[in-house]
Amino acid sequence: MSGKEKLDKRKKVKYKRSFGDRLISVLTYVIYSLFAFVCAYPFYYILINTISSNDLSARGKILFWPREVHFTNYAQVLKIPGLLQAAKVSVGRTVVGTAITVTVAAFLGYMFTRETLWHRKLWFRMVAATMYFNAGIIPWFITMMNLGLTNNFWGYILPVAVQPFNIILCKTFVESVPKELQDAAEIDGAGTLRIFFSIIVPVIKPILATVAIFSAVAQWNAFQDTLLLVTDEKLYTLQYTLYQYMNQANSLKALISSSSANVDFSAILARAQTTTSVRMTVTIVVVTPIILVYPFFQRYFTKGIMIGAVKG
C-alpha cells in the first residue's frame, strides 16, 4: 500500500462518525429547527391572519394556512389619513436619530479611553449613573418644555442622543483596539478628530452596526414621546397614528356590536373589519420595515455585541 493510500485511509478513519455523533447531530438539528419554528411562527401566524377572511380570523380558525385570501386589510390601512406624513416622520427620526446616537456613542466611547481627557473617569461615571437613576416623567416633561422640545421634531432626537449602554459598548470595543495604531497616528501629527475618523471608526464598525440596530429599533417602535410631547398632527409618528387607528377601530367595532338596529348590516361590517384584523394588520405594517433592515446588519451584530460586552 502506497503512502498516499495510507494517508487517505487514515483520514477516512479519523473523520468516521460514530452512531452517537450522528445522533447528537440529528437531535441538534431537530432542537434548533423547533426553536426556529417557535420564533418564526408568531410572525407567520399574524401574516396569514391579515390576508385571510376577517370573520374566520376573529373566531380563531386560521392557524397554519390562509383561507379566503384577500388584501383588503392592507388597502384599508393605507387609506388612513395622514399615514404618509406619519411614515415620513418615523423614517426621519429613525435615520437621523440613529446617525446621531451612533456618532455620539462612538465619539464619547473613544474619548473615555483617552488618558489625556480631563477627569475622564469622573465624566464616565456621571454618564453611567444615568442608567440607574431617573427623575421620572413629570420632571422630564418640564425639562423638555423649558428646552422648547414640545411639538418639535428634535424632541425625538436629542433626549436619546446620549445612551450610556451604547457608550459603554463602544468604550469597551475601542479598548480592544491596539494602542499602537493611535500612537503611530499621533507621531505622524494626527489630532483627536483625525484619529477618531481615520483610525477608530473603520476598526469599530461591528460595534457601530450593533448600536445602530439598537437605536433604530428603539426609534422606530417609540410612540410614548409622541403621546407626551406632541399635539401637532404633522409630527405624529407612524406608530402613534396606527395606535389611534386601532383605538378608533375598537370603538367602532364595539358600537356596531352593541347596536340593536339593522343586525344584518352589523354582521357585514363585523366581517369586513374586525378588531383582530386591525391589530394584526397594523402589527405587520409596523414590524416589516425594521425586519427588512436587520439582515444588512446581521453579520456585524454577533461580533459587535460579544467584543463590545466582554473586554479581551
Side-chain angles (χ1 to χ4, degrees):
M1 182 180 295
S2 64
K4 184 178 181 180
E5 292 177 349
K6 291 181 180 178
L7 181 61
D8 293 340
K9 185 176 180 181
R10 261 194 237 121
K11 287 183 178 179
K12 291 181 181 179
V13 173
K14 182 178 180 180
Y15 293 106
K16 186 177 180 180
R17 303 178 65 191
S18 65
F19 174 77
D21 294 335
R22 292 195 295 269
L23 179 62
I24 293 297
S25 297
V26 171
L27 290 177
T28 301
Y29 282 117
V30 170
I31 292 173
Y32 279 102
S33 298
L34 291 175
F35 180 74
F37 174 78
V38 170
C39 293
Y41 178 73
F43 296 100
Y44 174 74
Y45 174 79
I46 295 174
L47 177 62
I48 62 176
N49 274 272
T50 60
I51 61 176
S52 298
S53 167
N54 292 340
D55 182 47
L56 296 175
S57 176
R59 291 189 285 129
K61 299 296 184 180
I62 308 299
L63 296 177
F64 294 102
W65 306 107
R67 297 167 59 182
E68 301 179 22
V69 177
H70 68 92
F71 297 94
T72 307
N73 294 329
Y74 293 99
Q76 293 295 329
V77 169
L78 293 177
K79 292 179 181 178
I80 298 175
L83 184 68
L84 180 60
Q85 177 62 25
K88 291 180 180 178
V89 174
S90 288
V91 171
R93 72 172 292 180
T94 300
V95 174
V96 177
T98 299
I100 292 178
T101 300
V102 171
T103 303
V104 171
F107 185 72
L108 290 181
Y110 162 65
M111 291 303 298
F112 286 141
T113 64
R114 292 184 63 86
E115 297 178 356
T116 56
L117 178 64
W118 183 69
H119 287 304
R120 66 187 181 97
K121 293 184 179 180
L122 173 63
W123 301 124
F124 178 71
R125 288 169 182 169
M126 291 179 65
V127 170
T130 60
M131 296 177 61
Y132 308 102
F133 301 99
N134 193 321
I137 293 179
I138 294 177
W140 173 81
F141 176 78
I142 294 174
T143 301
M144 297 290 288
M145 186 172 59
N146 292 334
L147 292 174
L149 294 178
T150 56
N151 281 327
N152 190 329
F153 176 78
W154 291 103
Y156 295 138
I157 308 299
L158 297 181
V160 294
V162 179
Q163 295 290 331
F165 178 73
N166 295 337
I167 293 172
I168 292 173
L169 287 179
C170 291
K171 175 180 178 293
T172 308
F173 200 105
V174 171
E175 288 174 345
S176 67
V177 177
K179 190 70 174 177
E180 291 76 12
L181 292 176
Q182 300 181 46
D183 295 339
E186 289 179 354
I187 293 174
D188 291 338
T192 300
L193 292 179
R194 182 64 182 274
I195 294 175
F196 174 69
F197 286 106
S198 300
I199 304 297
I200 301 300
V201 171
V203 175
I204 65 172
K205 284 182 180 179
I207 196 63
L208 296 184
T210 303
V211 173
I213 292 175
F214 290 157
S215 178
V217 171
Q219 286 282 8
W220 181 261
N221 291 333
F223 83 98
Q224 187 178 12
D225 47 7
T226 307
L227 182 66
L228 297 174
L229 299 177
V230 177
T231 57
D232 185 357
E233 293 183 358
K234 293 182 180 179
L235 293 176
Y236 283 174
T237 60
L238 180 63
Q239 285 69 21
Y240 185 73
T241 301
L242 296 178
Y243 167 75
Q244 286 185 315
Y245 178 67
M246 287 177 62
N247 288 340
Q248 294 172 1
N250 292 342
S251 301
L252 179 61
K253 180 65 171 59
L255 181 63
I256 292 173
S257 301
S258 61
S259 176
S260 58
N262 202 353
V263 177
D264 293 335
F265 182 66
S266 298
I268 293 174
L269 285 180
R271 287 196 298 271
Q273 187 75 4
T274 65
T275 304
T276 302
S277 66
V278 171
R279 288 175 177 171
M280 292 189 175
T281 305
V282 167
T283 300
I284 291 295
V285 171
V286 171
V287 170
T288 299
I290 204 68
I291 290 180
L292 295 178
V293 170
Y294 179 78
F296 295 99
F297 295 92
Q298 185 178 8
R299 62 180 180 142
Y300 297 108
F301 185 80
T302 303
K303 181 180 178 181
I305 195 65
M306 291 299 293
I307 299 181
V310 182
K311 183 177 178 180

